[in-house]
Each structure stands twice: as C-alpha cells, then as structure tokens.
Amino acid sequence: MPGLDRRVAEFTSSRTRMLLAGDGLTTVLLEAAARAPLHVRITHTARLSAHALDDPGPRTALGLEAGQPCLLRRTRLVTPTGVPVSANVVVAAAGRDADVDAVMPAPQPLGYALAGRGRRLERRLLHVGRVAWPEAPDRTCASKTYLMCHAGGPLVFVREMFNPAYFPAGTDGAAALAHEACPARGPARSAP
C-alpha cells in the first residue's frame, strides 16, 4: 500500500497534511477546522474563451483548445463572521457536463452542489505546494490543485489555497508543533 504522497509529507502540520491528502469533499475538513459552517463568497464568475485565462494550467489540464469556451469561478469559503478559510479558482469546459455548468455560478461549495445533484466526481491530484495567501500576499499558504473527473475524463480544474491561520504552510517543526498543541480556532479576533 503506498504511503503518504511526498509532496504532502513535507508539510509539518498534521492538520495541513490531512487536508492536502484528502481526496473527498474539502469543505467538510475546512468546516471541522473552523468549527462552523462555511459560506461561499463569489468574487468573480465569467464565461470566456480558454485563451483568455490568465493561467495556462487549467487550459492544459482540461485539454481545452484556445478558442473553446470555459467557465471561471473565483470564490472564498468564509466563516459566519466573514473570515476566509480558503480561496478557490475553479475552471470548467463550458458544455462538457450539464451538472457542472449548472453549479458553477451557484453560491454554494462546488462539491456540495454537485452532491446535491447526485454527482460525486473523482479527484485527481495535480499539485500540492505553497503560494502567497490571496488575502495577505506577504504570507505563505498551503495550496492544492486537482481535477474533478468523471469516467476518467477531466471536467473541472480546482486550485484551493488555505488560510495559514487554520492550516500552517511551514516546514519548521517547532512552529508547526506549537500550533498543533492548540486546537484550531482560526485567526485571533479582537473582542468587541
């Protein structure tokens, strides 16, 4: 039986490793860490030609021709108080799958929306790493990129970036162990 993916194993935080190694609904793990239900804040949606994407990764992973139409969705999963737990970029080939087309603009987590339509798509991990946290670009966060597939064919490209206050992105053992000694409560907030 294969062990933990080496790309995931290099993260010191066990909480972060668990999130990155998961191959199911990420939102369930995010809600457990946040200890609250999460809501979708859609920051951008568009229907555009694949050549207009600012990142060639989705185009390549989905096998899109330059002029082929695609759907782009940028979201944040936020706590009830508005704290972002993840930032997400989702791209799908327009017209490839009716259920995917229907849920892309929906204001709910993509996995939950697809499950509500009776769909559970296989996830195929493409990349795990560290990137700038979109909410604070001077901070590094853990990131996961994968395809959601049906019958082996790619339908959706997903890049998730995780708030480092919940999921430390470091490899410094002392800092990660200190963080894990305390339950995840998210970012510190000032009392009103």
Side-chain angles (χ1 to χ4, degrees), residues 145-192:
T145 304
Y146 57 92
L147 289 173
M148 297 174 79
C149 303
H150 177 70
L155 297 179
V156 183
F157 173 95
V158 179
R159 176 169 295 128
E160 299 172 315
M161 295 155 279
F162 305 105
N163 186 335
Y166 290 94
F167 301 97
T171 57
D172 176 4
L177 290 174
H179 184 279
E180 289 182 12
C182 301
R185 296 199 192 285
R189 292 180 197 57
S190 301

Side-chain angles (χ1 to χ4, degrees), residues 84-160:
V85 178
S86 74
N88 311 292
V89 177
V90 181
V91 177
R96 194 175 280 180
D97 184 278
D99 288 327
V100 170
D101 288 357
V103 302
M104 283 292 282
Q108 63 184 133
L110 193 64
Y112 285 176
L114 287 167
R117 297 176 78 87
R119 300 293 298 276
R120 173 143 166 67
L121 302 179
E122 167 204 354
R123 281 141 172 93
R124 186 181 315 151
L125 185 65
L126 298 177
H127 180 75
V128 168
R130 293 171 190 78
V131 297
W133 172 234
E135 298 290 318
D138 59 325
R139 296 190 64 201
T140 300
C141 72
S143 175
K144 178 178 184 175
T145 304
Y146 57 92
L147 289 173
M148 297 174 79
C149 303
H150 177 70
L155 297 179
V156 183
F157 173 95
V158 179
R159 176 169 295 128
E160 299 172 315

Side-chain angles (χ1 to χ4, degrees), residues 58-72:
R59 189 171 55 238
T60 301
L62 292 169
L64 299 174
E65 297 295 326
Q68 190 172 350
C70 63
L71 305 171
L72 171 65

